[in-house]
């Protein structure tokens, strides 16, 4: 799942997508073969309008559905306090800021790149990879300046690797991605962590 409407694609085309879910490459090819722009718009509208309605009906209790991995909040707080940190997510910015406030994480709102906003500007369908490029341009980051990206799925780092040679990658092995996809890509600067507690340790190592 990259975008929310992917859940509906998987629901309505379960047999096709499940039959080729052995790797990211297989899944992506199958997904692209059945993908249709108009249907994607319909799925997106249905999914996000339903989620927005659910959020309004549940009010603050909606946040109880957004449960973080154990120790993930500690790792994120450490990163925000010790590094220039950006968040890229398929969620809407309002949900993200609510969740951050609920967990007492203070991050600059302009550093949140979400489904509907690229920092402080409206997002006109930019992908997560394109959003990361916007962040790196904002930071005037060329190939020479190293940066760290933390992801559970291989898609974004894979699309960035040839353009940003100094990119370091941490694979969040406790997330939704397939570890064999990461191994197949053969990143030079890759570390795999299987527990968010390990992530805090890795971020401390970067700081020191």
């Amino acid at each position: 799942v990259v975008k929310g409407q992917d859940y509906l694609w998987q629901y309505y085309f379960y047999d096709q997508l499940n039959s080729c879910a052995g790797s990211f490459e297989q899944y992506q090819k199958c997904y692209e073969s059945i993908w249709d722009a108009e249907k994607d718009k319909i799925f997106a509208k249905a999914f996000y309008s339903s989620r927005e309605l659910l959020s309004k009906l549940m009010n603050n209790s909606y946040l109880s559905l957004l449960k973080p991995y154990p120790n993930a909040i500690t790792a994120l707080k450490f990163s925000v306090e010790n590094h220039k940190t950006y968040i890229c997510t398929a969620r809407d910015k309002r949900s993200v800021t609510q969740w951050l406030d609920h967990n007492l994480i203070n991050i600059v709102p302009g550093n949140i790149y979400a489904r509907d906003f690229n920092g402080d500007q409206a997002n006109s369908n930019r992908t997560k990879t394109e959003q990361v490029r916007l962040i790196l341009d904002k930071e005037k980051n060329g190939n020479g300046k190293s940066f760290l990206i933390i992801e559970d799925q291989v898609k974004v780092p894979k699309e960035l690797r040839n353009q940003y040679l100094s990119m370091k990658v941490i694979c969040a092995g406790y997330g939704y991605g397939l570890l064999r996809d990461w191994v197949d890509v053969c990143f030079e600067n890759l570390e795999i962590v299987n527990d968010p507690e390990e992530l805090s340790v890795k971020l401390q190592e970067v700081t020191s």
Side-chain angles (χ1 to χ4, degrees):
V1 171
V2 177
K3 300 178 180 179
Q5 63 263 37
D6 289 350
Y7 286 109
L8 296 182
W9 278 104
Q10 291 185 9
Y11 179 81
Y12 287 108
F13 296 91
Y14 177 81
D15 289 339
Q16 296 98 307
L17 292 171
N18 187 52
S19 66
C20 56
S23 72
F24 173 77
E25 292 287 350
Q26 291 175 359
Y27 179 87
Q28 192 68 17
K29 287 179 181 178
C30 185
Y31 181 87
E32 289 172 355
S33 71
I34 63 174
W35 189 85
D36 174 81
E38 289 304 312
K39 191 167 292 184
D40 192 66
K41 291 178 182 177
I42 293 170
F43 287 169
K45 183 176 180 180
F47 179 87
Y48 287 108
S49 61
S50 298
R51 191 164 74 178
E52 183 179 0
L53 177 61
L54 180 64
S55 173
K56 290 178 179 177
L57 290 172
M58 296 184 68
N59 202 3
N60 289 335
S61 60
Y62 175 72
L63 295 171
S64 66
L65 302 178
L66 310 179
K67 296 181 180 179
Y69 291 100
N71 300 310
I73 289 178
T74 301
L76 181 55
K77 283 183 176 178
F78 181 87
S79 181
V80 170
E81 292 168 2
N82 294 276
H83 302 284
K84 187 69 173 288
T85 301
Y86 287 85
I87 292 175
C88 269
T89 176
R91 287 195 174 275
D92 61 285
K93 190 172 183 178
R94 178 175 171 271
S95 296
V96 177
T97 53
Q98 279 184 313
W99 183 86
L100 291 168
D101 290 343
H102 179 73
N103 290 286
L104 304 178
I105 300 173
N106 184 22
I107 187 169
V108 178
N111 289 3
I112 299 172
Y113 283 61
R115 183 180 73 86
D116 49 354
F117 279 92
N118 299 318
D120 295 322
Q121 304 295 321
N123 180 20
S124 56
N125 296 317
R126 286 186 183 270
T127 66
K128 193 172 182 181
T129 299
E130 291 169 337
Q131 288 178 315
V132 173
R133 290 194 180 105
L134 283 179
I135 292 169
L136 295 171
D137 289 344
K138 176 183 173 182
E139 292 294 325
K140 296 180 173 54
N141 193 317
N143 285 338
K145 187 179 178 183
S146 65
F147 65 95
L148 177 66
I149 186 168
I150 302 168
E151 261 286 3
D152 62 344
Q153 298 189 47
V154 75
K155 182 177 187 294
V156 174
K158 183 179 179 181
E159 290 174 347
L160 293 170
R161 65 181 301 192
N162 291 332
Q163 184 178 358
Y164 299 98
L165 303 179
S166 59
M167 176 179 68
K168 297 179 180 179
V169 184
I170 289 182
C171 162
Y174 51 85
Y176 293 128
L178 297 174
L179 287 177
R180 60 177 168 271
D181 287 333
W182 289 89
V183 173
D184 290 344
V185 173
C186 299
F187 284 104
E188 290 184 12
N189 296 314
L190 172 67
E191 293 196 59
I192 298 174
V193 298
N194 294 308
D195 189 302
E197 190 171 10
E198 297 176 50
L199 183 55
S200 291
V201 173
K202 294 297 180 185
L203 290 171
Q204 289 173 21
E205 291 175 354
V206 172
T207 305
S208 60

